[in-house]
Amino acid sequence: MNKKEVKRGLVPYLFMILIMLGIFYVFNVMNKDINNLTYNEFMEELNEGNVESMYITPRSNAKTYEVTGSLKGYKDNESYFSRLPMSEEVMKKIVELSETQKFELEAKNDPESSSLLLILINVLPFALLIFFAFFFLNKQMAGNKSSLDFGKSKARLNDSNNKVTFADVAGLKEEKEEVEELIDFLKNPKRFQKLGARIPKGVLLVGPPGTGKTLLARAVAGEANVPFYFISGSDFVELFVGVGASRVRDMFQQAKRNAPCLIFIDEIDAVGRQRGTGLGGGHDEREQTLNQLLTEMDGFGANEGIIIIAATNRPDVLDPALLRPGRFDRQVTVNLPDVRGREEILAVHSKNKILAEGITLSHLAKRTPGFSGADLENLLNEAALLAVRRNKNKITMSEIDEATDRVLMGPAKTSRKYSENDRKLVAYHEAGHAVIGLKLDNANDVQKVTIIPRGSAGGYNMMVPSEEKLCSTKTDLLEEITGLLGGRTAEEIVFGEITTGAHNDFEKATKIARAMVTEYGMSDLGPLQLEQQEGSVFLGRDYNKSQHFSNEVANEIDMEMRKIINDCHAKATEIIKKNTKLLQLIAETLLEYETLTKEQIDYLVENGKMKDDDEETSLESMSITKLRELAKEKGIKNYSKMSKAELLKELDV
C-alpha cells in the first residue's frame, strides 16, 4: 500500500474524530445549567458571601468583565454568568472580598488581545465546514466522473521504459520486414506518397499461440517514434449495450489527436467474430462494437496516419468485412519457427544463461521441432531452474533433457511404484517403437527412450524427423503409422498378450489414416476430399464436421482405414520379428538404465553393449547397478529398493 492510499484511508477516521469531539463539546455545553445574573444581583450575592469560585475574563472592546463561576448551593453542572463594568473600584472590591471570604478567584487573558486565537475561534469552524463540504463534493464529482468515463477507451500508451526492439525478436525475418515497412511510412511518408502508394490501414498477425505475434507488435512499438496504443479485444465488450461502440469511438478520437500513431488490438477475435451466427442469434453488444470498429477503420470519415495492428490465432471466426482491403489490408502469418529460426530464438533467450561447454544451440534446435518461441523460452527457463535446484553452476545437457521432458510430458513420477512385470512390459513396448524407428529409412529418428512415467504415460519414445519437410509423402505417413504400432506389436510378439498402453498410439495412427483417406486422397478411393475440418466454429470445432459422402462411401472409408492400419501392423510385425535380438537388447538396457539418449542408442546398436560405467563422466548415464553400489558405499539406507531417479536424488544429482 502506497502513501497516497494510506492518507486516503485516514481521512474518514479523522473526520469521524472531529465530529465526535464536536458532539461531545455541544453535549457538555447544552447540559450545563447557566444562570445569568445582573450586575446588582451578582454584587448582592458577592456581598452576602455566596460566591464559591469566580473566573474573570476582560473584554477590552466592550469595556466590561465577563464573570463566571459557582455559588453556594449550586449543583455540579450549574454556574452563573454576569457582566461587570471595567473599573478599578470594582476589581479592588472583588480582590478584598476574595481575601476575606476565601473563594477561588482566577483572572483570564482577553482572547481578543491575541489575533491568532481570535482567528482560530472565529474562522476555524467556518474553514472546517468549507473543507469538508468541498471534500465530500469532490468525492461525489469523482464518482460521477468515473460513471461518465464508463464509455471511455481503455487503450493505453506503451511504456517507453519497457522497450522491446527487433533485436529481441528472432526467427521472424520475413514478418519483421512486413511491419518494418509500416515504421518507414510513419517516419518518412513522402517517400511512399511520391509514387502514389497507400500504406495498409491494418495488418493482421495470424498464427498459433506462442509464435511471437504480441512480441512482434511490442517490437514495432519500440522501434517506432510515434504514440503506440495497445488494447485487448475483450476490453471493448461490456454487459451494457453501447459501451463497446463508445469505447471504439473514443479510442479513434484519441488516436486522431496524436496521429500519426499505431493501435495494437490483441486477441481481436473477442470482438471481431462473424455477425449473426451461433444458436439463438448473435451477441448484440459485440456486434454493435464490431460495426463501430468497421466504420472507424474505413467509413465516411478518414483516419489518416492511424495504422492498426491486430493479432489472433482464430482467423477462421473473423467477420469477412473485417478482412477486406481497406480495413485489414494485409495478413502476416506468424508460423512455428523452422530449425534456423529456433536456433536464433534460443540464442536470444540464452544470453543471460550460463551453458556448459559442449552444448550447441544448433543441436538443441534440431531436437525441438514443433516448438514455438514461447516453448523454447520456457525450455531454457526450466533448465536453469533445474540447474539451481541441483546446485550446479552451469546448465548441462542433463538439465536440458529433463526440461524438454517436462515441457512435453510433465514432471517425472518418481514416487509412482509399479511391479517388475509392468516395467518389463513398458520397456519392450518402448523398445518396439525404437526398433521401428531405427530400421525404417523414412521413419523419425529416435532421440530418447525412457521408461520413467510422466503424466499419464508409463514411458515414452521421443522421435523427431531427420529433416524438416514442407509436405509429407504417403510413404512418410505410412512409416509414421508403422512406428506408432511398434509398441503394441512388440507386446504381442514377446508376451503373447496386449495391454492398454498403446491407447495414445492408436489414437494418433487412426487420425493419420483417416486424414489419408478423407482429406489427402492417399487411398484406393482416389484423389477426393471427403471431409473438411472447418465445421461450425461457433458450435465446436468438430461438432458439425462437413461430410460429402453417402453411407456406401462411409463404409469404403472404414475399409480403407482398416487396410492401412492392418498393412502397417503387418510391416511392424515383420520388422520386429527380424530384429528380435535388437529389441531384447534395447529393452534389457532400458530396464537397467531407465533412460537412453540418441548417442547411447547409436553406441548400443553399433557395439551391442553400453559403455562401461567407469568410462561415464556423469551419474545420470550410469546403470542402476552402479548407482546402487555408490549408494552402498555412501551408507544410504534401502538403496536396493530405490529407482534410478531416487538414487540420483540421494546422491545429490
Side-chain angles (χ1 to χ4, degrees):
M1 184 179 292
N2 55 34
K3 293 182 178 179
K4 290 184 178 179
E5 291 177 345
V6 172
K7 291 180 179 178
R8 290 175 183 173
L10 290 176
V11 168
Y13 295 102
L14 293 175
F15 182 60
M16 290 298 298
I17 292 173
L18 289 173
I19 291 177
M20 292 175 66
L21 290 175
I23 293 173
F24 181 74
Y25 173 77
V26 173
F27 180 80
N28 285 340
V29 171
M30 292 183 66
N31 285 331
K32 199 159 186 178
D33 189 7
I34 300 176
N35 298 317
N36 292 316
L37 303 178
T38 63
Y39 172 72
N40 293 329
E41 291 175 343
F42 171 75
M43 293 305 295
E44 184 179 348
E45 295 287 346
L46 179 63
N47 293 327
E48 292 179 358
N50 295 329
V51 176
E52 288 187 346
S53 61
M54 183 186 301
Y55 306 102
I56 302 175
T57 303
R59 293 292 184 178
S60 302
N61 294 338
K63 304 278 188 190
T64 59
Y65 292 111
E66 290 183 354
V67 182
T68 60
S70 61
L71 301 178
K72 293 180 180 180
Y74 275 14
K75 299 178 181 178
D76 293 338
N77 63 337
E78 193 174 2
S79 63
Y80 66 86
F81 175 81
S82 182
R83 294 182 185 275
L84 308 179
M86 186 177 289
S87 66
E88 293 184 4
E89 295 179 1
V90 173
M91 287 302 301
K92 185 176 180 182
K93 186 175 183 179
I94 291 174
V95 172
E96 291 176 353
L97 291 175
S98 67
E99 292 177 354
T100 57
Q101 297 179 7
K102 304 298 183 183
F103 59 81
E104 182 182 355
L105 178 62
E106 183 179 346
K108 295 183 179 181
N109 294 328
D110 185 0
E112 296 179 357
S113 63
S114 174
S115 58
L116 178 60
L117 184 60
L118 182 64
I119 292 173
L120 290 177
I121 293 175
N122 295 292
V123 179
L124 184 60
F126 297 100
L128 289 175
L129 288 174
I130 294 172
F131 170 76
F132 286 113
F134 176 78
F135 174 77
F136 284 107
L137 183 62
N138 188 40
K139 295 289 284 186
Q140 185 70 21
M141 290 297 295
N144 293 334
K145 185 179 179 181
S146 62
S147 62
L148 294 174
D149 289 345
F150 195 67
K152 297 294 184 181
S153 171
K154 292 187 177 181
R156 299 175 297 276
L157 275 171
N158 184 61
D159 186 7
S160 59
N161 296 327
N162 188 16
K163 197 171 184 179
V164 177
T165 63
F166 284 138
D168 301 312
V169 182
L172 300 175
K173 181 179 179 182
E174 293 78 9
E175 291 81 353
K176 285 192 290 186
E177 290 176 355
E178 290 288 329
V179 294
E180 279 177 350
E181 189 176 273
L182 304 179
I183 299 174
D184 291 340
F185 176 81
L186 292 172
K187 291 181 177 179
N188 189 13
K190 294 182 179 179
R191 176 187 170 195
F192 295 85
Q193 295 170 353
K194 184 178 180 180
L195 297 178
R198 177 184 63 83
I199 200 67
K201 292 186 178 180
V203 177
L204 183 65
L205 304 179
V206 178
T211 51
K213 300 183 294 297
T214 305
L215 181 65
L216 187 61
R218 292 176 61 192
V220 173
E223 295 286 344
N225 293 322
V226 296
F228 185 92
Y229 292 92
F230 60 96
I231 191 172
S232 174
S234 60
D235 289 334
F236 291 112
V237 183
E238 288 285 354
L239 175 66
F240 303 104
V241 177
V243 173
S246 175
R247 289 179 177 176
V248 172
R249 288 191 295 269
D250 185 67
M251 179 181 70
F252 277 89
Q253 287 175 2
Q254 292 183 34
K256 288 176 183 178
R257 288 194 294 266
N258 295 279
C261 67
L262 291 165
I263 298 176
F264 174 61
I265 305 176
D266 200 7
E267 305 296 344
I268 194 174
D269 52 275
V271 70
R273 286 176 174 249
Q274 296 179 22
R275 292 165 290 181
T277 54
L279 293 174
H283 190 292
D284 187 59
E285 160 63 3
R286 183 183 53 76
E287 290 188 3
Q288 287 192 25
T289 306
L290 175 58
N291 291 336
Q292 187 64 42
L293 181 62
L294 296 175
T295 304
E296 293 289 346
M297 289 187 68
D298 188 28
F300 281 100
N303 289 323
E304 296 295 336
I306 300 176
I307 299 175
I308 299 177
I309 303 176
T312 181
N313 50 28
R314 295 290 307 278
D316 53 322
V317 305
L318 295 180
D319 195 280
L322 197 63
L323 303 178
R324 74 160 176 81
R327 289 182 178 132
F328 283 107
D329 307 82
R330 185 178 299 176
Q331 290 190 29
V332 179
T333 302
V334 186
N335 280 323
L336 293 171
D338 57 8
V339 62
R340 184 180 300 175
R342 292 195 298 273
E343 184 176 352
E344 294 175 359
I345 294 172
L346 288 168
V348 170
H349 293 303
S350 62
K351 287 180 180 179
N352 61 340
K353 295 177 176 61
I354 304 175
L355 301 178
E357 294 78 6
I359 296 180
T360 58
L361 299 181
S362 59
H363 178 61
L364 293 181
K366 292 178 182 178
R367 295 185 55 181
T368 52
F371 276 49
S372 65
D375 292 331
L376 294 171
E377 190 276 334
N378 188 36
L379 171 66
L380 291 179
N381 185 63
E382 286 287 343
L385 293 175
L386 284 170
V388 174
R389 193 180 305 170
R390 295 175 177 179
N391 297 321
K392 292 186 176 181
N393 297 324
K394 296 181 179 180
I395 302 173
T396 65
M397 202 64 203
S398 174
E399 284 76 44
I400 293 178
D401 283 337
E402 175 66 18
T404 305
D405 295 340
R406 282 172 173 264
V407 172
L408 291 175
M409 303 289 293
K413 303 289 186 179
T414 56
S415 59
R416 181 184 296 177
K417 301 294 182 182
Y418 53 99
S419 64
E420 286 298 320
N421 184 50
D422 288 338
R423 290 183 77 247
K424 193 172 182 180
L425 276 169
V426 174
Y428 274 92
H429 180 101
E430 301 302 334
H433 289 303
V435 169
I436 300 295
L438 291 169
K439 294 302 178 181
L440 287 179
D441 295 333
N442 294 323
N444 295 337
D445 292 339
V446 180
Q447 289 290 334
K448 186 176 184 179
V449 185
T450 180
I451 59 173
I452 298 175
R454 289 180 182 272
S456 59
Y460 81 99
N461 194 317
M462 182 191 294
M463 302 176 71
V464 299
S466 55
E467 59 180 7
E468 296 184 28
K469 301 177 181 179
L470 184 62
C471 299
S472 297
T473 64
K474 182 178 180 180
T475 303
D476 293 336
L477 296 176
L478 290 174
E479 293 193 354
E480 185 175 353
I481 295 175
T482 304
L484 290 169
L485 299 176
R488 165 60 70 87
T489 305
E491 294 176 10
E492 294 173 343
I493 294 175
V494 176
F495 301 100
E497 186 62 88
I498 57 178
T499 68
T500 60
H503 170 268
N504 187 248
D505 299 332
F506 294 158
E507 181 182 354
K508 295 178 181 178
T510 304
K511 186 177 180 180
I512 296 172
R514 188 169 189 86
M516 290 177 65
V517 177
T518 61
E519 297 179 42
Y520 306 148
M522 295 180 177
S523 68
D524 293 340
L525 294 179
L528 298 174
Q529 189 177 50
L530 303 172
E531 289 182 348
Q532 294 179 355
Q533 291 295 334
E534 49 201 51
S536 176
V537 294
F538 300 98
L539 302 177
R541 286 185 182 273
D542 302 320
Y543 180 79
N544 189 24
K545 184 181 288 186
S546 178
Q547 298 179 345
H548 307 286
F549 50 82
S550 63
N551 292 333
E552 291 78 8
V553 176
N555 183 52
E556 293 182 23
I557 292 174
D558 294 339
M559 293 176 63
E560 287 294 325
M561 290 175 56
R562 189 177 295 111
K563 180 183 177 183
I564 292 174
I565 297 294
N566 289 338
D567 290 346
C568 292
H569 182 256
K571 189 173 184 179
T573 303
E574 179 185 355
I575 293 173
I576 289 180
K577 283 184 176 179
K578 286 182 180 180
N579 298 276
T580 307
K581 291 184 178 179
L582 178 60
L583 175 71
Q584 184 176 359
L585 176 63
I586 295 176
E588 294 298 328
T589 308
L590 272 174
L591 290 171
E592 184 68 17
Y593 287 82
E594 291 190 343
T595 300
L596 297 176
T597 62
K598 183 181 185 325
E599 294 76 13
Q600 290 174 322
I601 293 173
D602 293 340
Y603 186 90
L604 181 66
V605 173
E606 184 178 350
N607 298 281
K609 64 174 185 177
M610 290 288 290
K611 289 183 180 180
D612 294 335
D613 289 334
D614 295 336
E615 299 178 15
E616 297 290 352
T617 58
S618 64
L619 294 175
E620 294 93 336
S621 303
M622 294 183 180
S623 64
I624 294 180
T625 303
K626 183 63 176 178
L627 291 175
R628 286 174 177 169
E629 291 178 1
L630 294 176
K632 182 179 179 181
E633 293 175 2
K634 287 195 172 186
I636 298 175
K637 298 180 180 179
N638 299 324
Y639 64 88
S640 60
K641 298 181 181 180
M642 292 182 182
S643 64
K644 185 174 181 179
E646 291 171 333
L647 288 168
L648 291 173
K649 186 176 181 180
E650 291 294 332
L651 293 169
D652 295 330
V653 176

